[in-house]
Amino acid sequence: MAATMTEKIFAAHAREGRARAGEVVSLTPEILLLNDISGPVAFQQFDAMGAVRPFDPDRIVLVADHFSPAKDVLTADSIKILRAFADCHHIDHYYDTGNGGIEHTLLAELGLVCPGSLVFGADSHTCTAGAFNASGMGFGSTDLAAVLALGELWAQVPDAIRVDLAGSPGPFVTGKDVILTLIGRIGCDGALDMSLEFGGLGLFALNVDERMAVANMAVEAGAETCVMEADEQLKTFVEERGASARNPVVADPAASYAAHETIELDRLEPIVAVPPSPANGMPVSSLADTRIDQVYIGNCSNGTLTDLRQAAQILTGRKVARGVRMIIVPATQKIYRAALREGLLEIFSEAGANISPPTCGACFGGHMGILADGETAIATTNRNFQGRMGHPGSRVFLANAWVAAAAAVTGEIRHPADVVGGTG
Amino acid sequence: MYIEGVIHKLGDQINTDVILPGRYLAIRDPAELGKHCLEGLDPEFAARVQPGDILVAGRNFGCGSSREHAAIAIQAVGIGCIVAASFARIFYRNAINIGLPVVTCEGFALAARDLGKARIDLDKGEIIVGDQTFRAERVPDSVQQIIRCGGLVSYVRQRLETGNERSST
């Protein structure tokens, strides 16, 4: 029977040996991902289950990213617990400040995600793996503890929504704008319990970093997972990082989809999601003159070298506006070093930006740039719910790195063309 | 099993950031988390809840972050059951896993009044308000199995004790 990419990946990992939309299957993933917030809770549950050793230490990836480097004694203890589990069970894939980064960007960089793989993560943005023609699913800590103990977990095979991307993005338009357009169209539960499958020539017009930005926010539409088609660019990216791209997953021509969406990239302009929802996407030009206090560039959606280059394009030879705080977060140590080599960090620091170590930081309201009551930020992050970055009386607008950098220079939300000229 | 209590009614798209704000995520103690339940939306909420009260919400309850702390906080503050028009997938699983009853019932979610009272028959999947009875959506077998065990920890414990884990090869 004709199958979607999601059905094929699920079937390949299901104890039952088959997976049709609507069925419940027992899945074993290639990778189990936990961080300094979700890990300690999972390990407590693992002990309570009476489990003694995890089913396969080589599949486990532990990343200190949310409150890393440790913010205070409580968070230092959480990271200590994460490290202790790694040591106790001989888990090699343990990453901490200085040698790691934000988990979803890091996973790809390490070559641990490749076409056809299944990733379970105790973090909702595990869906980022979809950019690699793989399936990533987010879970809570107890579910991950169950996989650690049993080596498998139940899941319902989702129906899929097919999203065709056509054309190519115009100036200052990038992956972020594609996903904000989609969520704006279908809403925060438009893909509830479904898989989002992306394809079309427009997808291949985005580089892999940009595709990660799209896949990262699939969960903001309620999606269970997301799978993108593979092309040569993706294969090269994966192989350069030591993983195999030999068997890309392709949907059968007669595969059945619950719905279809088409997005014409040529027709997009940069989109900004107005608080308090990622679904409130508006063209950037409609928000002109909105004053901002803080600009935050970098997280698991948009902390890649591509995003940093976009920011640098705007900031070269310019300064962060008086009264604005700008924080730039390269998502991994490797990206940080690449940005250093390319001279991007010099551009950022000359402009007056704070260059942060790789960390989830203020994206989730943890540390490293929290907002006070009444403050407004524009950020390349993935959520702008009430209080997400600090006080419940603060606000966060979501945008791409070009738009965020333009706001840093002007002190207001503006189209990047207003700052650097029309074609960028 | 019955749950009977006062209704606390919320709207659509209640996300886990407002249920349990990010700055509290290094806390693991349920009682401590319960104090901050829904603080992002209403700092007085935790103080108002009595054990066994019912949380009623619209669409996509628990959307956003996978933080299990959100479900733990709701359970710890004393909520006996959550009824929503629909649940976000990860939150739903988290609630089932820790033994916090969650019921999908759009009709009741719409009709419920804040500070009213209701009675929920979890076994029958019915919600009774005055002389009205609402039917909840059917719970999948995989989920029922976990509920019968009292949560995922007990379920896994039983499987491990009977030697039923999957090998790693």
Side-chain angles (χ1 to χ4, degrees), chain A residues 42-266:
Chain A
F43 305 150
Q44 261 178 349
Q45 299 294 67
F46 181 80
D47 288 343
M49 288 164 179
V52 171
R53 64 189 168 278
F55 90 105
D56 188 349
D58 292 337
R59 296 189 195 219
I60 302 169
V61 180
L62 304 178
V63 184
D65 61 3
H66 277 62
F67 282 113
S68 175
K71 166 181 170 272
D72 50 26
V73 174
L74 190 63
T75 55
D77 275 340
S78 300
I79 297 172
K80 187 176 171 188
I81 290 169
L82 196 72
R83 194 179 315 124
F85 193 87
D87 290 343
C88 175
H89 299 291
H90 309 291
I91 293 166
D92 290 334
H93 287 299
Y94 172 77
Y95 300 95
D96 208 331
T97 198
N99 78 339
I102 303 173
E103 59 200 279
H104 308 298
T105 321
L106 184 63
L107 208 63
E109 188 177 273
L110 292 169
L112 294 175
V113 205
C114 64
S117 53
L118 182 65
V119 179
F120 282 359
D123 187 274
S124 59
H125 293 111
T126 307
C127 52
T128 309
F132 302 91
N133 190 231
S135 168
M137 294 172 72
F139 293 98
S141 297
T142 302
D143 265 334
L144 257 288
V147 202
L148 286 173
L150 296 178
E152 64 177 24
L153 187 65
W154 75 272
Q156 180 150 29
V157 185
D159 280 310
I161 295 175
R162 170 75 186 186
V163 184
D164 277 298
L165 304 183
S168 55
F172 309 116
V173 172
T174 179
K176 191 66 147 193
D177 309 294
V178 175
I179 191 65
L180 288 179
T181 296
L182 181 64
I183 301 170
R185 224 187 255 180
I186 69 177
C188 287
D189 54 0
L192 192 62
D193 296 333
M194 317 251 277
S195 174
L196 285 170
E197 295 198 355
F198 290 84
L201 292 176
L203 177 68
F204 308 140
L206 301 173
N207 72 23
V208 177
D209 286 347
E210 294 177 292
R211 296 178 209 181
M212 284 175 63
V214 179
N216 178 274
M217 287 185 72
V219 67
E220 312 313 333
E224 178 168 324
T225 189
C226 147
V227 186
M228 292 180 163
E229 286 178 356
D231 65 345
E232 285 311 310
Q233 201 183 164
L234 191 269
K235 287 180 195 169
T236 304
F237 184 105
V238 164
E239 282 163 359
E240 274 173 357
R241 286 151 185 79
S244 162
R246 270 195 310 271
N247 296 308
V249 182
V250 180
D252 293 329
S256 173
Y257 289 94
H260 283 84
E261 291 287 338
T262 303
I263 299 178
E264 312 263 357
L265 271 58
D266 316 65

Side-chain angles (χ1 to χ4, degrees), chain A residues 289-293 321-322 324 376 395 397 410-413:
Chain A
D289 305 333
T290 307
R291 293 211 57 82
I292 49 94
D293 303 293
R322 193 177 160 73
V324 175
T376 300
R395 300 184 308 160
F397 290 79
T410 61
E412 305 172 336
I413 297 179

